[in-house]
Amino acid sequence: MGEILFARVDDRLIHGQVMTKWSKGFGCNAVFVIDNNLAKDEYMKSIYLMSAATSNLAVKILGVDEAISLWNNDKFGNYRVILLYKDIATVKESITKGLPIKKLNVGGLAKSPEKKFVIPSVSLKKEEAEMLWELANNFDVEVFFQTLPESKRVNLDAALKLFGINM
Amino acid sequence: MKEKAILIITHGNFGKELLKSAELIMGDQKDVVALGLNLGDDVESLRMDVEKIVKDNQKANKETIILVDLFGGSPSNSALSVSKQYDVKILTGVNLPMLIEMLSSRDNYDTEDLIEISYKSSVDGIKKLGYKISKKEENN
């Protein structure tokens, strides 16, 4: 039986930080990108798959429903997987549809004027913070903010305080 | 022969500084731009910047050659994503020998040849030094 090591939210999806750092250790042998739009875009899909081809990891790009049927089918077989997401809403969709994500690393969300920085690589909107609160409280997900395995880790309660939300 | 514009895209300020270094050696250059992706930057806005530059070049009847730092990184992915709609050529692993070759030879060759020459210069520019030179290499 396979295992979901953790999920990561990173709007750059497959790139150096993920392939050279996060996928080393934890016995990781696969990275699944879960994104409904990307799964339909054959051209961008081929770019990500080509970029990842030099790694020793199995890489798949899936829509949420596709990922869930793979999980229901054989619990991801022999894969020890990092799930990669572009946004928090898709993580929420996956979890509410039954994908058992227990650890969520929020590692890369670009800044924009209405957002607040949690760590230098992650800024959040209030509704994203609320979604994370929901995942932690209703689905028992351990949420943490961290760019690289060796960089500073910020826990959800500290991030939520920025928005005046209490755990 | 079509004029060629060069776009450098890298992680951080590497590309911008690389261009400055090349201009230090060769003097100011026209039709060359460098973009950098920094922590917290939006990759989608980088992609749009790339697209705008390529589009403007196209309007000015110039070809765009994109030099990126790392195959598989976000700068390379944004260049590739723009290549869906636009005819651009991309070289990865940008270094100073590549850029200097590109800048100094772009008016003399068509795009395909320029890419080949610049590729070769970028690889040939890497030497292992400090070893005793063997007879064989001396003869070459």
Side-chain angles (χ1 to χ4, degrees):
Chain A
M1 178 179 143
E3 189 184 342
I4 299 173
L5 297 168
F6 61 91
R8 173 174 168 97
V9 177
D10 186 335
D11 53 19
R12 293 160 65 190
L13 294 175
I14 296 178
H15 65 108
Q17 287 174 2
V18 176
M19 301 308 274
T20 64
K21 290 287 185 177
W22 286 101
S23 66
K24 303 288 189 291
F26 318 105
C28 172
N29 62 10
V31 170
F32 294 175
V33 174
I34 302 185
D35 190 83
N36 291 324
N37 290 328
L38 190 61
K40 283 181 256 167
D41 184 342
E42 288 304 322
Y43 188 82
M44 282 310 293
K45 231 167 116 170
S46 72
I47 288 174
Y48 280 111
L49 293 175
M50 181 175 81
S51 300
T54 48
S55 75
N56 295 316
L57 301 166
V59 176
K60 290 182 195 294
I61 296 172
L62 308 163
V64 171
D65 294 337
E66 224 178 329
I68 287 174
S69 67
L70 266 187
W71 175 258
N72 290 337
N73 201 18
D74 67 348
K75 305 283 178 278
F76 292 163
N78 295 318
Y79 292 130
R80 295 174 58 80
V81 188
I82 294 173
L83 302 177
L84 265 185
Y85 289 89
K86 214 182 257 188
D87 53 62
I88 294 166
T90 313
V91 179
K92 188 182 161 189
E93 185 192 343
S94 303
I95 291 175
T96 50
K97 285 182 171 172
L99 206 57
I101 294 169
K102 288 293 155 205
K103 264 172 91 170
L104 178 62
N105 161 236
V106 186
L109 282 173
K111 60 184 179 231
S112 72
E114 78 279 16
K115 291 169 134 192
K116 284 187 178 154
F117 278 104
V118 179
I119 52 175
S121 66
V122 175
S123 37
L124 282 186
K125 282 184 221 162
K126 182 150 196 216
E127 50 275 32
E128 291 173 318
E130 286 163 352
M131 273 191 258
L132 292 174
W133 181 91
E134 212 183 314
L135 293 179
N137 284 284
N138 301 346
F139 296 92
D140 210 19
V141 181
E142 178 195 348
V143 179
F144 61 102
F145 300 81
Q146 198 175 22
T147 311
L148 294 170
E150 62 269 28
S151 55
K152 189 182 151 214
R153 176 181 167 130
V154 172
N155 290 327
L156 183 61
D157 53 347
L160 292 182
K161 274 192 192 126
L162 299 170
F163 297 90
I165 304 170
N166 290 318
M167 286 292 285
Chain B
M1 193 161 52
K2 254 189 177 178
E3 276 186 72
K4 300 162 202 79
I6 294 166
L7 170 60
I8 307 164
I9 320 170
T10 65
H11 292 85
N13 292 324
F14 169 45
K16 290 178 185 170
E17 294 298 327
L18 190 70
L19 178 57
K20 281 190 206 162
S21 302
E23 290 188 323
L24 188 83
I25 298 168
M26 307 176 62
D28 287 350
Q29 299 292 315
K30 63 173 182 63
D31 286 336
V32 50
V33 183
L35 297 175
L37 182 70
N38 290 297
L39 212 57
D41 283 355
D42 182 3
V43 273
E44 182 51 28
S45 82
L46 176 68
R47 205 198 59 80
M48 289 190 301
D49 290 345
V50 174
E51 186 171 347
K52 187 180 181 308
I53 290 167
V54 171
K55 213 171 168 175
D56 289 348
N57 289 339
Q58 203 178 50
K59 272 188 206 147
N61 201 28
K62 288 171 187 159
E63 287 186 85
T64 309
I65 300 173
I66 306 180
L67 312 179
V68 301
D69 53 356
L70 198 63
F71 176 57
S74 304
S76 152
N77 287 342
S78 37
L80 280 162
S81 82
V82 169
S83 74
K84 184 184 185 181
Q85 275 188 43
Y86 297 89
D87 181 21
V88 294
K89 298 287 180 289
I90 302 163
L91 261 176
T92 73
V94 63
N95 60 13
L96 198 51
M98 178 194 290
L99 182 59
I100 288 176
E101 185 66 75
M102 192 106 320
L103 293 171
S104 51
S105 301
R106 64 173 151 170
D107 296 332
N108 308 331
Y109 295 94
D110 66 26
T111 307
E112 298 292 325
D113 288 341
L114 180 64
I115 298 271
E116 284 310 314
I117 290 165
S118 305
Y119 171 84
K120 193 170 182 308
S121 296
S122 70
V123 176
D124 289 349
I126 300 169
K127 304 284 184 210
K128 292 178 284 179
L129 303 178
Y131 296 93
K132 218 172 175 178
I133 297 169
S134 71
K135 273 279 177 267
K136 197 175 156 229
E137 281 174 41
E138 269 177 7
N139 292 338
N140 279 342

